Amino acid sequence: MRREQEFIDDLYARVDALRGDTESSVTDALAQGNTPMQARLERDILVAERSGLLAALNAVDGSLCFGRIDLASGVSHRIGRIGLRTDDAERTPVLIDWRADVARPFYLATGHTPMGLRRRRHITTSGRTVTALHDEILDLGDQVRTGHEDPTGDAVLLAALNSARTGRMNDIVQTIQAEQDEIIRAPHRGVLVVEGGPGTGKTAVALHRAAYLLYEHRELLAKRAVLIVGPNPAFLGYIGEVLPSLGETGVLLATVGELFPGVRATAVDSREAAAVKGRADMADVLAEVVRDWQSLPDPVIAIEHEREILMLDDDLVKVARERTRAAGLQHNVAREYFEGHILNTLTELYAERVGTDPYDGSSLLDPSDITQIRDELAENPEVWAAVDQLWPVLTPQRLVADFLADPVGYLPDEDVAAIRRPVTRAWTVADVPLLDEAAELLGEDDRVARARADRERETQVAYAQGVLDVSYASRTYEFDDKDDEDSEILSAHDIIDAERFAERQEEDDHRSAAERAAADRTWAFGHIIVDEAQELSPMAWRLLMRRSPTRSMTLVGDPAQTAEAAGVGSWSQILSPYVEDRWDHTRLGVNYRTPAEIMELAAAVVRAQDPSFEPPSSVRSTGVRPWVRATDDLPGAVAKAVEELTPADGRLAVIAPRHLHRKLAARLDGVTAGAEPDLTRSVVLLDPRQAKGLEFDSVLVVEPGLYGTSDLYVALTRATQRLGVLHTGSLPRSLAEGARASG
C-alpha cells in the first residue's frame, strides 16, 4: 500500500502545482487589460483553456486515481478520472484518462480474455489517503501475491452498492461493467436507445457516455455542446455532480420545461390536460390557430388618405393573404410580404381614384408618381393599423396563452374543458413544447432587430475608427524625431481597418457553448441524452428533434415505468416519425440497486398486469424482506416507521400521494411539503413521479392503493437496502399476493 500512497502523494503534488500555475496564469492574463489585438486574442484563448483545466482539476479532486493495470509485458498504467502528463519535453503519461483506449482493459479484461493484462488493481482512497487495495489476477501463471487479492473481483462493486447514499448520484467510473462500457463507448452518430429496468445503471451509463463523447469528439462537441434532459429539477440536482467529478463542466442539464428561453415552467397540469397538450395533433391545431390570426375584414376596412376613403374589402384582402401564404413562410416573416401586397393594393386603388383620365380612362400617372403614392401610403398610420388587424405580429407566448384561454372550435368539448385556463396562469411543462411549436410556426420578423444592429454597428465602427485614429496620431508623434528605419514599424492602422476592429469586439463572447445554447432556442446540439425518455409526449419529441438536426441522441428509459398520460412508451412510436427504423437498441439486464427480496415484490406488481414481464436480475441479496402493514393512524404509523427505517448515515424517502404530503410532513421533523425536495437531507417526502431515477438506502411507500401500476413499480424499486409499505385501505391485489409470496 505504501507504493500506491507514494504515487498518490506525488500525483497530488503535481496537481497542486498545476492548479497554482493555472490560477496564476489566468490571473496574470486577465490583469493585462487593454492589450494589442493579437495579444488579446492569445490571452482570451489562454483564459478559456486554463479556466477549463482549472474547473476540471477542482471538480475531480477526490479519488483522482482509482486503478492500475499491469501488463504481461511488464508495463503498468495507472487509471484516473482525467489524464495527466509530465511537464518535461517527453510529456510522459503519469495518469491515464479512464476514457482512453489504453484504459479499456481495466473494464473489459477477464481471466478468460485477459486482453494482455497480468493484474488489475482497484485503489480505494478517502481524500488523498489510500484506504484499500483489491487485486484481480488475470494471468493464472503469475505466482506473485500481494496480500490484496480479491478472489471474486466483486469486492469494490459490492462495497459501492452497499455504501450509504448521500442524496447525490456518484459516478461509477471505478466499477463500470463490461455491458455498460460497450454502451458508453458506442459510436457518436445516430440514435441509441438504452433500455433497462430499475437499478440497471441507465442514468449513470448515459452520464458517462456524455463524458466519453466529450473526450472522444472534443473539438465538435465543445462547440455544439451536449444537452442532457431529465424528468424534473430534483433529478437534475441529484445527478448534477457526476459530470464535474469526471472533469466535464460544459454540459447543459435541463428539463423539458426549461428548454424555451425566457420561460420557466412552474405550474402543474392535470393528467388530462397534459395528455391533450402532448398529443401530436396539437401541431396541426396550432397551425390552424395561426392561420385564423390571418384574418379578413368584417366586412370592410376604411382607410382615409389625402381626403380619399380607400376600402379594403374581403375579396381584396383574400387575394393578398393567399399570395402571401403561397410563399410558404412563417407567419411573422411573411408579414413583410403581406404588407407589400396591401400597400400595392391601396396604391392601385388610390391611383385609379386620382390618376385616371375621366374621358378615356387612361392613366395620368407615370411610374415615379406611383412610387411616390406608395411611399406616402407607407407613412399613413391607418394603413399600419389595418395591417396589424389583418396580419398581426405575434409572440409564441401570446399565441399559446390566447389559445389556451379559448380553445373552443379547435378541440372536442372534453379536451377544451381539460386545457382551458386563464391567460394569466403560470406556464406548465406541457406548455413549453406548445410554445416551441408556436415559435416554429411564427418565426421572427427581424427587421427591427436588423435596423437596431445596423445602428449599433455604425456606432462601433465609428468608435473603432476613433481608436485607430488616436493610435495613428500617437505613433506619428512618437516617431517624428526618429530615423526612417524606426518609422517603418507597423501600427494597428497598417494591419486592420475600423470594420475588422469592430468585428473583433463583437466576437468576444466568453460564455461557454452550454451557456449560449441555453439562451438560444434554435441551437443545434452536438448530442442529446434523454433520461426517462418513455415519459416524453409526442410534442416534446418535436421540440427535442428540432434541437438535434443530425439525430445524434442517446435515449434512456424503461417502457414498464411509463407513468405520464402523454408518454409514448414505445421506442418505435417515438422514433419512426423522425428516423424510421434507423436506430439501435440495447438493453441492460442486471439490477445493481435493488436487492433480490425487494425486486421480487416489485416484479409481482407488474406481472399481475403483464404475466410475461421479466425484471432485471439483482446482483445481491440482503436477507432483509420488505414488510407491508395496515394502520388506522397513517400519520402516526408513518412517523414510527420513519424512526425504524432511517439509516444511521444514509437517506430515507417517504413516497406518498401528493395530497397527503402536508398531513405527513406535520409529523416528521425537518420535512416540508410543497417545496422542491432537498435530497441531501436524511428524510425526504416525495410523490412517485418525483422519485423517478432516484435511489435511497430505505424507502417507505404510503397508500399504494392510490398508485397506478407503473407509479407503484417505481416507488417499490427506489431502495438499496430496506423497504416498508403502509396502507389504510385495501391493498392492490398484486401487491398483497406479492407480499404473501415474499414471506
Side-chain angles (χ1 to χ4, degrees):
M1 192 173 292
R2 177 186 297 178
R3 178 184 173 191
E4 297 297 351
Q5 186 62 60
E6 289 175 352
F7 172 80
I8 295 293
D9 291 341
D10 178 69
L11 178 65
Y12 277 107
R14 292 176 183 273
V15 169
D16 289 340
L18 181 58
R19 182 183 286 115
D21 290 345
T22 302
E23 289 176 340
S24 176
S25 63
V26 169
T27 301
D28 292 346
L30 291 174
Q32 291 179 22
N34 295 323
T35 61
M37 291 196 65
Q38 183 61 33
R40 180 181 177 186
L41 177 60
E42 293 172 355
R43 180 203 70 179
D44 291 348
I45 293 173
L46 181 145
V47 168
E49 290 179 344
R50 294 298 176 88
S51 295
L53 174 61
L54 189 60
L57 290 174
N58 291 336
V60 301
D61 196 33
S63 302
L64 187 57
C65 174
F66 56 80
R68 192 183 86 194
I69 50 177
D70 298 338
L71 278 64
S73 62
V75 176
S76 294
H77 298 299
R78 288 182 171 86
I79 314 299
R81 281 174 167 76
I82 60 174
L84 291 174
R85 293 175 177 269
T86 60
D87 55 5
D88 54 21
E90 285 75 20
R91 302 285 294 158
T92 304
V94 175
L95 189 65
I96 302 297
D97 193 300
W98 67 276
R99 296 164 288 190
D101 284 342
V102 71
R104 201 167 189 195
F106 182 79
Y107 300 109
L108 299 183
T110 65
H112 184 266
T113 309
M115 300 179 69
L117 298 192
R118 178 173 56 85
R119 179 186 301 266
R120 172 169 48 212
R121 166 168 286 183
H122 291 270
I123 303 170
T124 304
T125 58
S126 176
R128 300 186 176 193
T129 302
V130 177
T131 58
L133 302 178
H134 297 275
D135 288 346
E136 295 176 64
I137 306 300
L138 300 174
D139 179 359
L140 299 181
D142 185 358
Q143 300 301 312
V144 176
R145 295 294 179 265
T146 64
H148 302 293
E149 281 72 27
D150 175 8
T152 66
D154 293 332
V156 175
L157 174 62
L158 291 175
L161 298 180
N162 287 316
S163 64
R165 269 43 191 171
T166 64
R168 293 288 182 264
M169 178 181 277
N170 296 320
D171 66 64
I172 60 168
V173 66
Q174 190 170 357
T175 58
I176 293 172
Q177 302 301 293
E179 67 169 357
Q180 297 171 330
D181 185 80
E182 292 292 337
I183 296 169
I184 289 168
R185 298 173 189 263
H188 166 228
R189 297 293 184 183
V191 177
L192 173 64
V193 173
V194 182
E195 183 180 328
T200 53
K202 303 183 299 296
T203 298
V205 167
L207 294 172
H208 287 70
R209 175 162 169 74
Y212 172 77
L213 293 177
L214 284 162
Y215 172 85
E216 191 71 8
H217 306 280
R218 178 74 62 189
E219 185 174 350
L220 170 64
L221 296 184
K223 293 177 182 177
R224 302 309 313 162
V226 172
L227 169 66
I228 297 179
V229 180
N232 55 59
F235 175 84
L236 295 181
Y238 175 66
I239 68 172
E241 296 176 4
V242 173
L243 284 167
S245 76
L246 299 174
E248 299 297 345
T249 57
V251 176
L252 177 61
L253 278 69
T255 65
V256 170
E258 297 168 331
L259 289 178
F260 192 87
V263 168
R264 187 175 181 86
T266 57
V268 178
D269 269 314
S270 68
R271 182 176 176 84
E272 295 75 19
V276 173
K277 293 177 182 180
R279 290 198 314 242
D281 62 2
M282 287 301 295
D284 296 328
V285 170
L286 289 178
E288 185 179 353
V289 173
V290 171
R291 289 174 68 85
D292 285 348
W293 277 94
Q294 301 162 3
S295 60
L296 297 173
D298 184 23
V300 296
I301 297 176
I303 296 172
E304 182 178 354
H305 184 71
E306 299 291 341
R307 295 188 295 279
E308 295 287 341
I309 303 299
L310 306 177
M311 308 297 284
L312 276 176
D313 61 23
D314 184 283
D315 289 337
L316 290 175
V317 175
K318 186 179 293 184
V319 171
R321 185 175 71 172
E322 294 311 311
R323 287 177 177 174
T324 303
R325 286 177 173 175
L329 300 173
Q330 297 162 300
H331 173 85
N332 289 334
V333 178
R335 176 181 155 117
E336 182 177 358
Y337 292 82
F338 183 75
E339 294 168 1
H341 289 306
I342 293 298
L343 281 172
N344 290 341
T345 298
L346 292 172
T347 299
E348 291 174 8
L349 290 174
Y350 186 80
E352 183 177 351
R353 187 82 55 84
V354 303
T356 302
D357 190 309
Y359 297 103
D360 60 12
S362 62
S363 175
L364 301 175
L365 304 175
D366 60 28
S368 63
D369 296 324
I370 300 297
T371 300
Q372 182 178 349
I373 292 171
R374 194 181 191 281
D375 291 343
E376 290 170 351
L377 281 164
E379 299 295 326
N380 187 333
E382 292 189 25
V383 173
W384 295 109
V387 171
D388 286 339
Q389 176 184 332
L390 300 169
W391 199 290
V393 174
L394 298 171
T395 65
Q397 289 89 333
R398 179 185 177 187
L399 182 82
V400 174
D402 284 0
F403 163 68
L404 294 176
D406 185 18
V408 176
Y410 297 102
L411 296 168
D413 291 345
E414 61 272 20
D415 292 346
V416 169
I419 71 170
R420 177 183 263 161
R421 70 170 198 216
V423 171
T424 55
R425 187 174 171 186
W427 298 110
T428 69
V429 173
D431 292 334
V432 168
L434 301 184
L435 290 168
D436 198 71
E437 188 72 29
E440 283 294 304
L441 293 167
L442 295 175
E444 184 177 354
D445 184 353
D446 63 350
R447 284 176 292 170
V448 174
R450 287 203 312 266
R452 182 170 60 249
D454 288 343
R455 290 194 299 272
E456 291 175 355
R457 177 155 182 77
E458 289 174 2
T459 301
Q460 291 170 347
V461 170
Y463 175 78
Q465 187 63 58
V467 171
L468 292 174
D469 289 344
V470 170
S471 171
Y472 181 71
S474 299
R475 173 183 175 277
T476 302
Y477 175 79
E478 182 181 350
F479 290 114
D480 270 348
D481 297 329
K482 298 189 177 183
D483 57 32
D484 290 340
E485 183 178 346
D486 285 341
S487 67
E488 291 302 316
I489 296 175
L490 294 177
S491 71
H493 229 102
D494 299 311
I495 60 176
I496 193 169
D497 60 17
E499 290 274 343
R500 179 60 187 140
F501 190 35
E503 286 176 11
R504 193 51 201 100
Q505 313 314 305
E506 294 172 1
E507 292 168 1
D508 284 347
D509 186 348
H510 295 300
R511 293 177 301 169
S512 69
E515 291 170 330
R516 284 181 282 125
D520 184 354
R521 190 194 70 82
T522 63
W523 190 274
F525 288 91
H527 194 79
I528 295 179
I529 293 174
V530 186
D531 206 316
E532 302 293 350
Q534 78 281 350
E535 301 287 9
L536 269 59
S537 70
M539 288 300 293
W541 282 112
R542 287 177 66 88
L543 179 155
L544 287 179
M545 290 299 175
R546 281 193 280 269
R547 305 295 196 274
S548 181
T550 62
R551 304 293 189 260
S552 179
M553 310 177 83
T554 302
L555 312 183
V556 180
D558 179 14
Q561 298 183 62
T562 305
E564 296 293 340
V568 177
S570 163
W571 302 123
S572 60
Q573 284 182 275
I574 291 170
L575 295 171
S576 292
Y578 304 101
V579 295
E580 296 179 345
D581 60 352
R582 299 186 302 277
W583 50 280
D584 293 323
H585 177 273
T586 187
R587 182 172 179 83
L588 293 167
V590 179
N591 187 331
Y592 299 98
R593 175 204 303 143
T594 315
E597 295 84 355
I598 295 176
M599 199 65 218
E600 182 181 348
L601 177 63
V605 170
V606 182
R607 284 203 185 100
Q609 193 172 63
D610 178 9
S612 65
F613 174 72
E614 286 296 331
S617 302
S618 296
V619 299
R620 64 197 176 99
S621 173
T622 61
V624 180
R625 292 282 180 184
W627 52 257
V628 179
R629 299 172 187 165
T631 180
D632 294 327
D633 175 18
L634 189 63
V638 167
K640 183 178 179 180
V642 165
E643 291 183 6
E644 174 187 341
L645 290 171
T646 302
D649 59 350
R651 301 294 180 271
L652 164 70
V654 178
I655 303 178
R658 181 66 66 94
H659 70 274
L660 295 176
H661 282 199
R662 192 171 301 278
K663 184 184 296 185
L664 298 179
R667 298 292 298 271
L668 301 174
D669 292 339
V671 176
T672 57
E676 280 296 328
D678 179 359
L679 299 178
T680 64
R681 300 185 68 88
S682 59
V683 179
V684 294
L685 182 59
L686 307 169
D687 65 35
R689 305 295 171 83
Q690 290 175 308
K692 291 183 77 68
L694 308 181
E695 63 182 23
F696 305 89
D697 300 274
S698 300
V699 169
L700 177 64
V701 177
V702 178
E703 294 291 31
L706 301 180
Y707 302 170
T709 299
S710 60
D711 280 343
L712 182 54
Y713 182 53
V714 168
L716 294 173
T717 54
R718 301 302 98 193
T720 65
Q721 301 294 337
R722 295 191 293 170
L723 171 69
V725 179
L726 282 173
H727 64 100
T728 58
S730 60
L731 279 176
R733 180 180 174 186
S734 58
L735 185 58
E737 292 177 352
R740 286 194 295 270
S742 64

